[in-house]
Amino acid sequence: MFFGEHTYKVDDKGRVPLPPKFRREMKDGVILAKGTGEKCVAVYPVLEWKRMADSLATRAVTPAHLRKLNRAIFGSAFSTSFDGQGRIALPHPLRDHAGIADTAIVVGANNRVELWSEDEWKAEKASAEEQAAQIIETLESSQ
Amino acid sequence: MFFGEHTYKVDDKGRVPLPPKFRREMKDGVILAKGTGEKCVAVYPVLEWKRMADSLATRAVTPAHLRKLNRAIFGSAFSTSFDGQGRIALPHPLRDHAGIADTAIVVGANNRVELWSEDEWKAEKASAEEQAAQIIETLESSQ
DNA sequence: CCCTTTCTCCCCATTTTTCCCCACAATTGT
DNA sequence: ACAATTGTGGGGAAAAATGGGGAGAAAGGG
């Protein structure tokens, strides 16, 4: 389980540290993938990612469908691990996708970790909080 | 398992490098074939390709059917291996089929690798991601 | 049948990138 | 206050990306 929001520098070699607590849950290696829908990079512990990939693959209805699905799932995923200082290297396609320059916001999101650029995160957080507030409103008014 | 999306130059002799991780899984040689259905080149490790060809052959319903199948499978397949720099040479028929000019997108898709032209990949990726997103939606909402 | 041309394959060279290691400052916990 | 951990920055060795050169095989035309 990953919690919290942390800010880290991305050095000019594209390396990002993760919080020590996160590393300990990911020492077997991680899978980097594009955040589905959002402009961020998703970081999964390998086991968690395999579980997800399997449950997706079983939804394929035809061979052509499965090929396409594999392309989407595996094509956007990169396998990597930590260096001696607890950093991971961001592949260029992913860094571009998330628009991450020299600062990354590292966000714990239950079963995965997400990396955001400062700008995208600010926008996402604002809209997330607004939506959450609305949901809470409707919940409370229906009591 | 093949992961990720990588961009490589195709030199004027039609040679394409593959990522080092892919080479290590393919050092016994590879089979190049037309992507079934899609405008791409499929690259299989020999063992994986044999497994596939066998499983197809056992489903042939008549001898004539089997002959036709063999022609289709083996006729468009090329056996090759890596040169000293980790490149494979693309036979002309395949390069034409995939419309690959001077840049190839190398996509890991689980048990195989695919080579795409920039344009075809852009289109395919968009539709593949859309499909995946739909499935993810249904997964999440069914939880 | 032989010569020419093309293509393939293998080797070498250069630049770029990646990876692994070390160093130091800042922070945390004891 | 001290020791250990963590954030940040680089240096240097190794690997990888890219580009050609040239020998030999295959193809094609006279």
Side-chain angles (χ1 to χ4, degrees), chain A residues 70-72 74-78 91 93, chain B residues 1-11 14-23 26 30 32 39-44 82 86-88 90 98 100 102-110 112-122 124-125:
Chain A
N70 273 334
R71 231 169 264 142
F74 287 83
S76 75
F78 293 81
Chain B
M1 295 256 271
F2 300 102
F3 288 100
E5 177 187 331
H6 313 261
T7 301
Y8 286 108
K9 290 278 177 191
V10 181
D11 66 24
R15 299 174 297 186
V16 196
L18 295 193
K21 283 184 183 174
F22 291 7
R23 290 174 215 165
M26 292 173 158
V30 297
L32 306 182
K39 284 206 173 309
C40 70
V41 178
V43 186
Y44 297 91
F82 292 92
R87 294 172 291 198
I88 53 179
L90 281 188
I100 294 174
D102 66 347
T103 300
I105 316 291
V106 177
V107 182
N110 198 0
R112 71 183 179 283
V113 174
E114 293 178 345
L115 308 180
W116 295 78
S117 75
E118 287 178 291
D119 290 347
E120 292 291 341
W121 173 242
K122 217 181 298 176
E124 175 61 27
K125 185 162 81 166

Side-chain angles (χ1 to χ4, degrees), chain A residues 37-113:
Chain A
E38 293 89 9
K39 284 204 174 310
C40 70
V41 178
V43 186
Y44 298 90
V46 267
L47 280 179
E48 182 65 21
W49 187 84
K50 277 186 185 149
R51 214 182 48 72
M52 266 196 34
D54 284 350
S55 91
L56 274 182
T58 57
R59 298 295 174 113
V61 287
T62 68
H65 192 196
L66 179 61
R67 279 200 306 275
K68 202 176 267 267
L69 209 49
N70 273 334
R71 231 169 264 142
I73 299 173
F74 287 83
S76 75
F78 293 81
S79 159
T80 186
S81 58
F82 293 92
D83 71 6
Q85 276 81 275
R87 294 173 290 197
I88 53 179
L90 282 187
H92 254 113
L94 293 182
R95 203 163 53 173
D96 291 347
H97 169 75
I100 293 174
D102 65 347
T103 300
I105 317 291
V106 177
V107 183
N110 195 8
N111 65 333
R112 69 182 179 281
V113 174

Side-chain angles (χ1 to χ4, degrees), chain B residues 121-139:
Chain B
W121 173 242
K122 217 181 298 176
E124 175 61 27
K125 185 162 81 166
S127 90
E129 276 175 3
E130 191 182 329
Q131 257 194 36
Q134 277 177 17
I135 293 181
I136 290 174
E137 285 289 320
T138 68
L139 272 184

Side-chain angles (χ1 to χ4, degrees), chain B residues 71-107:
Chain B
R71 237 168 269 138
I73 299 173
F74 290 86
S76 77
F78 295 80
S79 160
T80 185
S81 58
F82 292 92
D83 71 7
Q85 275 82 279
R87 294 172 291 198
I88 53 179
L90 281 188
H92 253 111
L94 293 183
R95 203 163 53 172
D96 291 346
H97 172 255
I100 294 174
D102 66 347
T103 300
I105 316 291
V106 177
V107 182

